[in-house]
Amino acid sequence: MTVSRRLFFALWPDDASRRALAAEAERLAPRCGGYPLPAENMHITLAFLGSVDASRLKPLVELARAWPALQGEWTLDRLGHFSQPRIVWAGSQTPNAALMTLDAELWQALSRHGFTSPQREFTPHVSLVRQADRAPPQSRLSAPLLWRFDHLALVESQLDDGGSRYRTLARRPD
Ligand code: 2AM
């Protein structure tokens, strides 16, 4: 029997940023419908791999562990709404070159392991509210947030009764 795992590469913010994002999610959920995501789930997905056969996991763990040290910053200052997946998210007004480069480099490395990057453009975002029927009443985050990223993580997503649960399988640095 083949076992598959739902995998993605992501950046996780520090505790203070997570709490600030969770507070924003709590504030927005009643206005947009839907439910706020908890602080521990706040992240930005770089490369979503989807369902991956477990036999392909080892090179992904190695890739994550061998990734060069990261040092970048991202200012989150805007809110948005993806109407199809019904998500309210936080992101930035101006594209972040470091994040775009990191995403492109990651997909380049992943292509050597047979993974193909999606056709659609990468929109860096942190999901705040799921099943959101309405866009946020304003397009600005209530207070801009500076996120310093330094950890690339390979993460497994597991669905349970309470929603998605994320487990870090490898990260660099440890
Ligand atoms: P989302 O927050 O915008 O839904 C685990 O599911 C992570 O992978 C989430 O951050 C989720 O993004 C992202 N994700 C889920 N399905 C995806 C897809 N088809 N393409 C890109 N990212 C996806």
Side-chain angles (χ1 to χ4, degrees):
M1 194 184 75
T2 57
V3 179
S4 20
R5 326 258 305 245
R6 187 177 157 87
L7 303 177
F8 61 103
F9 281 85
L11 302 172
W12 245 259
D14 59 49
D15 287 347
S17 302
R18 255 187 246 196
R19 282 197 298 273
L21 288 165
E24 189 81 3
E26 294 275 349
R27 193 181 68 78
L28 288 167
R31 293 171 167 85
C32 305
Y35 64 92
L37 292 171
E40 67 268 21
N41 278 18
M42 296 298 168
H43 67 277
I44 167 176
T45 295
L46 292 172
F48 178 74
L49 305 178
S51 198
V52 175
D53 192 287
S55 63
R56 301 175 79 191
L57 180 60
K58 194 164 170 261
L60 295 174
V61 168
E62 285 165 1
L63 192 153
R65 290 202 176 129
W67 199 262
L70 297 181
Q71 242 181 3
E73 288 184 351
W74 187 34
T75 300
L76 291 96
D77 54 5
R78 76 167 279 215
L79 296 168
H81 181 230
F82 292 146
S83 54
Q84 192 26 257
R86 296 164 72 206
I87 287 170
V88 167
W89 50 269
S92 53
Q93 317 250 17
T94 44
N96 180 298
L99 274 181
M100 301 310 276
T101 303
L102 175 59
D103 182 64
E105 287 174 352
L106 188 53
W107 276 114
Q108 205 171 27
L110 287 166
S111 71
R112 293 195 280 276
H113 298 283
F115 294 95
T116 314
S117 70
Q119 292 301 308
R120 67 167 182 260
E121 206 182 319
F122 173 49
T123 307
H125 67 277
V126 180
S127 294
L128 301 179
V129 180
R130 290 206 187 277
Q131 295 177 18
D133 295 319
R134 297 178 293 281
Q138 82 280 10
S139 60
R140 294 278 178 137
L141 204 62
S142 37
L145 192 77
L146 178 67
W147 174 339
R148 292 199 169 85
F149 49 88
D150 52 8
H151 284 90
L152 177 67
L154 171 65
V155 182
E156 176 168 18
S157 163
Q158 292 167 324
L159 288 177
D160 66 17
D161 294 345
S164 296
R165 211 156 37 84
Y166 300 130
R167 192 161 75 92
T168 299
L169 302 180
R171 68 175 208 167
R172 164 80 184 152
D174 275 335

